[in-house]
Amino acid sequence: MGYIDFGSQARTADASKAELATLPLAPMREEDAPNAELREAWEYYHTSRCEHPNAPGFMTARSLTQIITYDAYSKAEAFLTQPLLTIAGSVAGSKWMSDDLLARAASQDKQMYIVEGANHMSLYDVPGYVDEAVSQLAPFFQARL
């Protein structure tokens, strides 16, 4: 069964008042993390680093139909003509999204800044990585605004 079918079936089950089907957004237990980046995701969401009782770390399975079909960069090749700066960690599993946006954007003034050694989660709150990323913003905007 595909993800869209699974999400559709979960939506139907939710409507019939069955227990909500859920999927983890990050590993729910440290030992379930298959690599260092996802272990850091577990740490970020499930320890005092950032956990919160209103953020349980999972999503409803019915959300799959919206998430899978959503394209945050829809029409970037036509409408994203403004100067563009992407910032990504060199070891971020999500870096491909920045690569994709950079390739698709219509802007003639686009660049990517890579924070060496940073992954997706470490760019949220690890001071050295965050400071390096933020240091790129003012010069970019000063040169283009």
Side-chain angles (χ1 to χ4, degrees), residues 76-120:
E77 57 278 351
F79 297 117
L80 185 49
T81 59
Q82 301 86 349
L84 174 64
L85 169 65
T86 62
I87 299 174
S90 65
V91 294
S94 57
K95 182 181 171 292
W96 70 269
M97 293 181 214
S98 297
D99 294 331
D100 183 41
L101 177 59
L102 212 62
R104 291 170 63 180
S107 176
Q108 297 302 304
D109 181 4
K110 52 188 176 179
Q111 64 190 60
M112 180 183 297
Y113 183 82
I114 301 295
V115 179
E116 287 300 323
N119 67 33
H120 184 94

Side-chain angles (χ1 to χ4, degrees), residues 36-45 49 119 121-122 126:
E37 185 170 29
L38 288 175
R39 192 228 162 260
E40 190 169 350
W42 166 82
E43 177 193 345
Y44 185 82
Y45 288 110
R49 181 173 171 187
N119 67 33
M121 304 309 299
S122 58
V126 174

Side-chain angles (χ1 to χ4, degrees), residues 18-51:
E19 185 174 326
L20 295 179
T22 62
L23 296 168
L25 293 169
M28 297 299 285
R29 301 177 315 162
E30 181 177 16
E31 58 269 21
D32 293 336
N35 58 47
E37 185 170 29
L38 288 175
R39 192 228 162 260
E40 190 169 350
W42 166 82
E43 177 193 345
Y44 185 82
Y45 288 110
H46 299 291
T47 70
S48 59
R49 181 173 171 187
C50 191
E51 74 180 337

